[in-house]
Amino acid sequence: MSRPFELFRDDLGVPHVRAGSEADLAYGQGYVTALDRGWQLEVDRWYGEGRLAARVGPAGLEWDRFAVRVRLADTTRRVWAALAAPERDWLAAYADGVRDGLDAGGRDAPERAELARALGGAPLPADEPWHPWTPVGTFLVHHVLFSGFPHLLWREHVARTLGPTLGAAALSWWGGDDGGSGGPSSGSNAWALHGSRTASGAPLLAGDPHRFLELPGVYQQVRLARPGHDVVGLAFPGVPGVLHLGQAETPTGSVAWGITNAMAHHVDLVAEASHGDDVGATEVVASGAETVPVRGGEAVEVPWAETPRGPLVTDRHSLRWPVRVTADAGVAAWRALQGARTAREVAAAFAGWVDPVNRVLAADSSGEVLRLTAGRVPVVPPAERVLPRVVEDVARSGQAGRRAGPEWLGLPAPTAVVDVAVDANDRSGRPGHDLGLVYAPHRAARVRALLAAPPPGGETARSQERVLADSRDGGAPGLVAWLERAEPGSENARRRAGRLLDWAAAGARTDADDADAALFARWRDALVRRVAADPALAPLHAPHGLPAVFAPWLDVVARVGDALPAVLVSGVVGSRAAAAAALADLDALDGPADGDDAETWGDLHRLAPLHALDLVPGATAPVVPRAPLGGTGDAVRCTGGVPGVTTAAFRGSVARWVWDLGDRRRSRWGVPFGASGDPRSPHFADQHPAWAAARTTVVETDWARLRPVPLPTGRPLADDDRRSSR
């Protein structure tokens, strides 16, 4: 160990790191993260360097091709080269801690042996030390596809493939003219309550971020304490500090923050050539090729090229990504957050935020509550957010490598919250904050409705569980309404229609033990598949010719499921008859007897977390105990699948958090699975039952109630040390 720090654990195995300086604390965070999440750190590093195939074999090639083309590793190094010395030192200290933690036992992961077995013993390349810039690459891996640019490829495919008449109508289903009434609903929730609404008289912040449910979890519960600043929150394994969701105690009081995705058009996709045109006429300012090694196979040469707009991510589309354009990922903002003492200082730190664009709620123990939008948003007129921009239009705007006009939008100043503020990926009515195209239509209204009926005595941290656990499907009643005047053919179909209408009228809840919710899910899946199979949409099912990494955004059934309400309302394909026919489809599957009564939503809605070993044929990923799972993509309690494709839940709440500005000892949190990423650890999945039930636990902050963990001094961890640090 090269820097001094102390490590403690609470009863859930959450690491509490204490050190005397910023650099020592960053080192300690990196060290313990490597002990707890060593496999996860290394996998994210392979993604960031475009060297996944070198470890997992041919299954990693599609990602590596994308990483090379988007210039991911090169962008990471550019960001590092442009950093000021304090940020470099901070990242370097964290990377040093990761390196030493991996050497002290963090690489002892059973997934490595399973990977070797599945690949027939093919040799694994030697592990390299972590570089000081690797944390930047890890952050970019999590967010390079987090923007809306793959949706632009889908809409272009729709417009081009369906022709001028049907294509124009279909564009509106995914946000073309009306701003996206039929877009994806999964996202994040966050809300702020002014002290006038709480039992303590101090503000409360709460919410839950929604992402893919990855195993190990995408967020790490952590406490980071140094003189003058003591923060608890959710960190990205592989990235120092607490960036998105945190609460800190300082000499002047308590401060907290939380974010949601602003759904902004913050990455610009530019069509350098029309479909079928020779992209060789495109102005290329840099090009080359990288040799991508493949474990157990021949290396592959991957060419790349860059125009004045950015890297070519397809044969004819360049990506104008603010991180690459400016060589700035917002690292200075990350670091500044770790020292913020007031809501105003949180807002000042987020003024340097770059990617992705977020809505931010911040509060402090003085009672001030602020909301703002943070990030770098290119100047793109709303009408040009529907499809990839044409290169000539970009040139006229002064953004084709020349600076004839303003490059980035000026975002509004923070505003004070004096009652309640809710952000849930919905369209903002505040001037200057409507930065995107497609927004989530239901969750924000439901959160506001729940908060409008506070418990006796006012809101508390514990009372936020009723909001976090709410399973009402906001989109279901509108869909089920198509059955009101339908004419289902069989008696069984009519009975099912009646059940669905009654269920929707009673609140459309998707609790794990609800049989009617299961019937709704099966009927909706049948309806999505029937509409997606409409002959008018047949051209969309033909090969699209785009890189395979974009396949999830170009799956016709999945995209019809995203926009089903808008598709049905349009009347172009699908209809009330389709809604009835979907019930007949269930008859065809089940026969005349209705066996739905015994099947519950929890039977269908099984957790299916994503794991890196899922890529590798023949490999077996770790499993977590099955727990009944309620919620759906349109519910506040978000656990979503892909309607029409699967009812399994692989995206949803990757953490739940409540920050009490009156007393941090009342704050609460929870994650899926557990604090450790090691399947052998007792803390690998010990939080999972509480998460599945949408419960939270108190954040432990009393050092006397924590267990100190002895750390090695210049030697690898022995088995007993390794067990005690997990």
Side-chain angles (χ1 to χ4, degrees):
M1 286 172 51
S2 61
R3 290 182 179 274
F5 71 95
E6 296 176 280
L7 173 61
F8 300 79
R9 303 275 188 184
D10 61 23
D11 290 343
L12 295 174
V14 173
H16 296 241
V17 183
R18 187 164 65 185
S21 71
E22 177 186 59
D24 292 347
L25 186 61
Y27 175 91
Q29 184 186 4
Y31 189 96
V32 72
T33 303
L35 290 182
D36 290 356
R37 304 289 188 97
W39 164 259
Q40 183 179 20
L41 292 185
E42 290 288 75
V43 169
D44 283 346
R45 182 211 178 137
W46 303 338
Y47 273 98
E49 294 177 350
R51 293 294 181 266
L52 186 63
R55 274 78 183 183
V56 306
L61 263 176
E62 287 308 320
W63 172 267
D64 287 349
R65 288 191 176 99
F66 169 72
V68 169
R69 295 188 74 164
V70 81
R71 312 298 289 134
L72 188 56
D74 183 69
T75 301
T76 296
R77 291 190 293 269
R78 283 192 186 187
V79 169
W80 165 259
L83 289 175
E87 282 69 46
R88 283 191 176 205
D89 293 345
W90 184 57
L91 292 179
Y94 182 88
D96 286 347
V98 170
R99 178 199 63 214
D100 289 350
L102 289 172
D103 290 345
R107 285 197 179 92
D108 175 23
E111 289 92 339
R112 284 181 172 249
E114 174 62 13
L115 182 58
R117 184 201 63 77
L119 293 176
L124 182 71
D127 292 303
E128 299 178 10
W130 262 50
H131 301 297
W133 53 82
T134 302
V136 176
T138 298
F139 185 84
L140 297 185
V141 161
H142 282 286
H143 297 101
V144 65
L145 287 173
F146 206 68
S147 70
F149 87 84
H151 298 286
L152 295 169
L153 291 172
W154 165 252
R155 289 194 288 268
E156 182 187 62
H157 178 56
V158 168
R160 185 185 73 244
T161 305
L162 297 184
T165 303
L166 180 55
L171 274 184
S172 67
W173 305 340
W174 291 281
D177 347 351
D178 63 358
S181 60
S185 59
S186 183
S188 301
N189 306 310
W191 57 93
L193 295 166
H194 188 267
S196 60
R197 299 292 301 271
T198 69
S200 69
L204 281 173
L205 301 182
D208 59 329
H210 305 160
R211 290 171 173 255
F212 288 119
L213 290 161
E214 300 177 29
L215 184 65
V218 69
Y219 280 115
Q220 171 196 32
Q221 295 160 298
V222 71
R223 182 187 189 182
L224 304 172
R226 60 182 170 88
H229 207 264
D230 181 343
V231 63
V232 296
L234 287 302
F236 282 112
V239 184
V242 171
L243 307 188
H244 284 170
L245 312 157
Q247 181 176 10
E249 292 295 314
T250 77
T252 58
S254 184
V255 62
W257 62 93
I259 63 96
T260 57
N261 192 309
M263 311 299 281
H265 182 101
H266 71 282
V267 172
D268 215 6
L269 192 69
V270 181
E272 298 282 350
S274 299
H275 184 71
D277 285 356
D278 180 11
V279 79
T282 299
E283 180 186 1
V284 172
V285 296
S287 62
E290 288 191 22
T291 300
V292 175
V294 180
R295 188 176 183 182
E298 296 294 323
V300 174
E301 197 82 358
V302 178
W304 59 268
E306 195 156 1
T307 78
R309 274 66 60 191
L312 285 168
V313 292
T314 78
D315 289 341
R316 58 189 190 86
H317 296 96
S318 60
L319 191 70
R320 188 166 180 77
W321 183 20
V323 173
R324 184 160 182 84
V325 172
T326 63
D328 184 3
V331 177
W334 306 352
R335 177 171 167 263
L337 270 175
Q338 311 316 305
R341 295 166 296 175
T342 66
R344 293 282 167 183
E345 289 185 3
V346 168
F350 272 107
W353 191 267
V354 175
D355 182 86
V357 181
N358 293 319
R359 294 179 186 168
V360 182
L361 295 171
D364 60 42
S365 51
S366 77
E368 184 163 44
V369 184
L370 298 176
R371 69 189 311 189
L372 61 139
T373 298
R376 200 158 288 163
V377 185
V379 176
V380 177
E384 295 184 29
R385 299 172 186 168
V386 180
L387 297 168
R389 301 177 76 198
V390 180
V391 65
E392 292 83 0
D393 293 339
V394 178
R396 281 194 295 272
S397 72
Q399 295 176 352
R402 298 173 286 278
R403 304 298 175 87
E407 186 111 23
W408 316 110
L409 286 173
L411 298 180
T415 56
V417 175
V418 295
D419 186 33
V420 176
V422 177
D423 289 325
N425 314 115
D426 51 320
R427 179 185 295 282
S428 174
R430 296 176 291 147
H433 294 272
D434 184 359
L435 304 172
L437 180 70
V438 175
Y439 295 90
H442 303 295
R443 286 180 285 104
R446 180 59 179 164
V447 172
R448 292 187 187 99
L450 290 166
L451 294 174
E459 299 281 5
T460 65
R462 186 64 182 266
S463 73
Q464 304 315 293
E465 284 189 350
R466 80 185 192 286
V467 185
L468 292 164
D470 188 76
S471 69
R472 180 177 179 177
D473 187 325
L479 282 179
V480 173
W482 286 91
L483 292 171
E484 287 178 347
R485 291 186 298 277
E487 297 181 2
S490 70
E491 179 181 349
N492 199 32
R494 287 191 292 274
R495 188 163 69 86
R496 282 172 165 154
R499 282 179 57 192
L500 289 174
L501 289 165
D502 290 345
W503 170 77
R509 298 196 173 274
T510 55
D511 297 322
D513 60 355
D514 196 308
D516 292 330
L519 174 59
F520 167 74
R522 297 182 68 235
W523 169 74
R524 179 179 58 182
D525 279 5
L527 179 56
V528 169
R529 290 191 292 267
R530 177 169 281 275
V531 172
D534 190 289
L537 301 184
L540 292 177
H541 292 268
H544 47 70
L546 292 166
V549 73
F550 301 120
W553 288 271
L554 291 142
D555 183 281
V556 181
V557 177
R559 299 317 305 267
V560 168
D562 282 342
L564 185 59
V567 177
L568 294 176
V569 167
S570 73
V572 176
V573 297
S575 64
R576 199 171 304 280
L583 288 176
D585 292 341
L586 296 187
D587 270 352
L589 289 172
D590 299 340
D594 182 3
D596 299 322
D597 293 316
E599 184 178 53
T600 66
W601 177 229
D603 294 329
L604 292 178
H605 199 49
R606 296 173 180 266
L607 182 68
L610 308 178
H611 190 279
L613 289 180
D614 296 336
L615 287 171
V616 183
T620 301
V623 297
V624 293
R626 184 178 182 273
L629 199 60
T632 186
D634 267 343
V636 179
R637 182 179 180 177
C638 180
T639 51
V642 181
V645 177
T646 178
T647 57
F650 60 86
R651 61 187 181 192
S653 299
V654 292
R656 295 186 177 97
W657 53 275
V658 187
W659 308 140
D660 188 327
L661 276 299
D663 187 343
R664 191 172 66 169
R665 293 172 297 181
R666 294 192 296 258
S667 293
R668 305 181 69 85
W669 59 4
V671 294
F673 320 125
S676 175
D678 190 330
R680 300 164 297 186
S681 167
H683 301 300
F684 178 67
D686 57 335
Q687 295 187 56
H688 194 59
W691 173 84
R695 297 196 306 271
T696 54
T697 58
V698 171
V699 177
E700 181 59 73
T701 59
D702 184 349
W703 294 103
R705 294 173 62 86
L706 303 175
R707 175 172 54 87
V709 178
L711 293 166
T713 54
R715 62 178 175 82
L717 283 175
D719 287 344
D720 288 345
D721 295 326
R722 194 172 297 144
R723 281 193 294 271
S724 70
S725 64
R726 287 186 175 132

